[in-house]
Amino acid sequence: MRSSLLVILISLLIAGCTTPVIATVVSDSTIIAQEPAATRVDEQPAITEELPQPTKAPVEQSSALDMPIANTATWTLIAGDFRRPVLVTHAGDERVFVVEQEGLIWILQDGQRLAEPFIDIRQRVNDRSSEQGLLGLAFHPDYSDNGLFYLNYTASEGETRISRFSASPDPNRADVESESILLTIAQPYRNHNGGSIVFGPDGYLYIGTGDGGSGGDPLGNGQRLDTLLGKILRLDVDAASSYAIPPDNPILQGGGLPEIWAYGLRNPWRIAFDLKTGDLYIADVGQNQWEEVNHQPANSPGGENYGWNLREGAHPYAGGGADWIDPVVEYDHSLGCSVTGGEVVRDPRLLDWSGVYLYGDYCKGHIWGLLKVDQGWLSQLLFETSYSLSSFGQDAIGRIYLADHGGGIYRLDPTP
């Protein structure tokens, strides 16, 4: 195993209150995430109301000073009345795009939702299950010139579809008939669809896929290299055909599918790159007990095995194997039931927050900060909210947003 278990005590500052909570920091390369479903298809974990007592950890007292004080920032309601929003992102300009799970994408401009949606593909989207629907949106890095964007959605037969679309002559409306399907992935069950789709700093498209569903990964997809399920994929979408395989993808000479960049994932619900360092954060939803976040440094050659279903977080599950990477932080189901991956703060208005990765729990509404410090990783509870946290996002100037699955879009602003 590449890393040892490290348990960190966190004294949490929440608007002047001190509420103890345990986070377990387990390596320098991974984080756990949970699917944003109100009802899990494969299990109903019990959630206790009392938080566990903290365990002392070998972290210098001064390390806590590296984490911002929570009451220096606040979540401001920007817009409400959305139907199951699952993503907030941007196209490189002042607009903010909000994705609704049923198949609509809306534009917020100057805090106001435009009257007509950017695109409506509800007739193509299957959102009958809580983990199906329109789940991902990524604008091409050269969107201002080529007008191309990419969607990740569940199609009519339950399959995952990665498609390219084009903008129309109206910059606030897409050409719904421009769809070009790049990749279709059959889904054996209705849950664990993943859904993340983001461009990396290298210009390649990264896609997070779940293990195919049910419970416990009965088909073993997380560890198999002959399936695209339970993976992070990496594609060159600037090729003449639908896509090409980047020449430095780790599996090119046989032994697995060449699209695979990393594997051993259960249901990565939100992956994100740090805009400054290029590091990749992967939140992976747990099974019965552990939620995790994984970290992949910018200089990684790919090929990491994050352990599922041999491991759940840093703990044995199905057993066997040894060449996996443990998460950098995990939490158990006394603190929540479904991790939602977030973003690294690079907002110039929040300099004290710079470098902090925000992640949360769908069920409890907790929002933690994760920060790499000299001694390893520090995780601290920063906000207790009533939101059903379905996603975090950024705008073009680095401001952080969150989507409440109940309908609200909030932005992290300096406290007045």
Side-chain angles (χ1 to χ4, degrees), residues 256-307:
L257 299 177
E259 292 91 346
I260 296 171
W261 176 252
Y263 65 107
L265 296 165
R266 182 179 181 273
N267 191 31
W269 181 249
R270 296 313 175 210
I271 64 177
F273 285 95
D274 182 342
L275 299 179
K276 181 176 180 180
T277 68
D279 292 358
L280 176 62
Y281 290 81
I282 307 165
D284 198 21
V285 176
Q287 176 69 29
N288 294 317
Q289 188 170 359
W290 296 98
E291 305 299 309
E292 66 181 82
V293 176
N294 300 281
H295 171 262
Q296 185 186 79
N299 62 358
S300 168
E304 287 90 341
N305 177 4
Y306 292 110

Side-chain angles (χ1 to χ4, degrees), residues 1 5 24 26 30-35 40 42-43 45 216 223 264-266 284-294 306-320 324-327 329-333 336-338:
M1 183 174 304
L5 188 66
T24 304
V26 293
T30 307
I31 297 176
I32 298 176
Q34 191 90 1
E35 60 260 36
R40 296 282 297 278
D42 52 345
E43 67 269 337
Q223 292 298 307
L265 296 165
R266 182 179 181 273
D284 198 21
V285 176
Q287 176 69 29
N288 294 317
Q289 188 170 359
W290 296 98
E291 305 299 309
E292 66 181 82
V293 176
N294 300 281
Y306 292 110
W308 177 253
N309 68 350
L310 304 177
R311 308 275 284 176
E312 182 187 9
H315 309 270
Y317 187 78
W324 58 72
I325 295 179
D326 279 335
V329 70
E330 62 180 12
Y331 63 90
D332 68 32
H333 282 188
C337 78
S338 181

Side-chain angles (χ1 to χ4, degrees), residues 177-188:
E177 301 304 326
S178 66
E179 181 175 18
S180 175
I181 300 172
L182 306 188
L183 183 63
T184 299
I185 305 172
Q187 294 284 356

